[in-house]
Amino acid sequence: RRSLAAFENDLAPPSRLALELVGDGLRYSIAQCDARLLVVDRDWESSRAAQLDEAQAALPRLLIDGDAAFVRGLAAFEAPPPVAASSRSACTIIYTSGTTGLPKGVVNSHNAYVAAGRATVGALALTHEDRILVFLPLFHVNPQMYAVMSALVTGAALILLPRFAASTFFDDAIRFGATGFTFVGTVLSILVARHERERRDHRMRFCFGGGAPKPTWEAVEQRSGVAMSVPLYLSASSATVLPMRT
């Protein structure tokens, strides 16, 4: 049994890269964060591994072959002892999309995550009885801070969908008893185009995100009855934000 503690000095802080990252951006990000271990899934391995340079290709890789197999595979490792960390110490490195050049790594502290979770809980009056629907990729700061951290602060449940599907969105929400969701602007635009009539046979009362024009989120509120909230500041690599109700 190999101990995960063997990697302890090399794995802080972790970096989460967008699945769409390829070529120069991919190689730069892996080199810039000084990666010592790559955690990848089967799709990434088959489509991205060949794009690594020689040194990166030689890094150890932990291959995730599906959620169930990953959980079973953890049994081969001994649990490392708890690690005490300062609230100001680095929690993760999140990379920008690289629209104006190569991706830029932003270091976020533990305190930034905790503060974002607490602020979101306060803005939305979340409780342990809420069930937050998540369909955005977890490498993005939006679900990390506004969904995962909110759930950790309150003890609420997370509903993790593999992807966003407009045609079954409300049916999925009903099936899993969702009380709200986080979003990026394009999601609301797609929902408005797909669902032209009212749809209020669900439990959802809030959604939280940014990037949608006022007519779009007003249409979502009117048709679904879901209250819209946006953060005062939202970025692909943001630190603490101050949510506000629109």
Side-chain angles (χ1 to χ4, degrees):
R1 289 165 65 87
R2 187 180 185 188
S3 173
L4 288 175
F7 294 108
E8 180 180 353
N9 293 330
D10 294 331
L11 294 184
S15 302
R16 298 166 180 84
L17 303 182
L19 298 178
E20 295 82 6
L21 202 57
V22 297
D24 290 339
L26 174 64
R27 289 185 290 272
Y28 171 82
S29 299
I30 292 176
Q32 202 267 343
C33 73
D34 194 23
R36 305 297 177 87
L37 171 70
L38 304 180
V39 182
V40 303
D41 63 13
R42 183 69 65 181
D43 289 341
W44 191 97
E45 179 74 9
S46 61
S47 62
R48 302 288 195 274
Q51 300 180 28
L52 303 178
D53 63 30
E54 184 177 356
Q56 293 168 352
L59 291 172
R61 291 204 284 273
L62 179 60
L63 180 62
I64 300 176
D65 197 4
D67 293 341
F70 175 66
V71 173
R72 289 195 301 269
L74 290 177
F77 295 89
E78 295 178 354
V83 177
S86 165
S87 63
R88 294 186 178 184
S89 63
C91 178
T92 186
I93 302 173
I94 298 181
Y95 280 84
T96 64
S97 58
T99 52
T100 59
L102 291 171
K104 300 172 182 63
V106 178
V107 180
N108 281 312
S109 68
H110 290 273
N111 192 53
Y113 275 86
V114 173
R118 289 174 175 169
T120 305
V121 168
L124 302 177
L126 300 179
T127 73
H128 68 280
E129 296 181 346
D130 278 299
R131 298 174 64 83
I132 307 170
L133 188 66
V134 177
F135 45 78
L136 298 175
L138 288 173
F139 62 74
H140 197 285
V141 71
N142 176 303
Q144 286 182 28
M145 289 190 169
Y146 306 140
V148 175
M149 289 309 304
S150 295
L152 291 176
V153 169
T154 61
L158 287 176
I159 303 165
L160 302 179
L161 299 182
R163 63 187 59 84
F164 171 69
S167 61
T168 61
F169 176 77
F170 288 103
D171 293 333
D172 288 337
I174 294 170
R175 176 187 175 191
F176 295 110
T179 59
F181 63 95
T182 71
F183 69 89
V184 291
T186 52
V187 165
L188 299 190
S189 298
I190 294 171
L191 286 177
V192 168
R194 179 72 182 189
H195 300 277
E196 297 181 354
R197 299 181 180 179
E198 283 193 0
R199 187 69 191 270
R200 299 195 175 207
D201 56 340
H202 54 79
R203 295 177 54 204
M204 293 188 294
R205 61 180 179 81
F206 70 86
C207 59
F208 193 71
K214 185 177 181 181
T216 298
W217 60 255
E218 283 183 336
V220 171
E221 285 192 325
Q222 293 167 2
R223 297 175 193 178
S224 68
V226 178
M228 192 71 51
S229 292
V230 299
L232 181 62
Y233 175 70
L234 173 65
S235 166
S237 55
S238 80
T240 304
V241 298
L242 297 175
M244 66 177 183
R245 178 74 175 90
T246 54

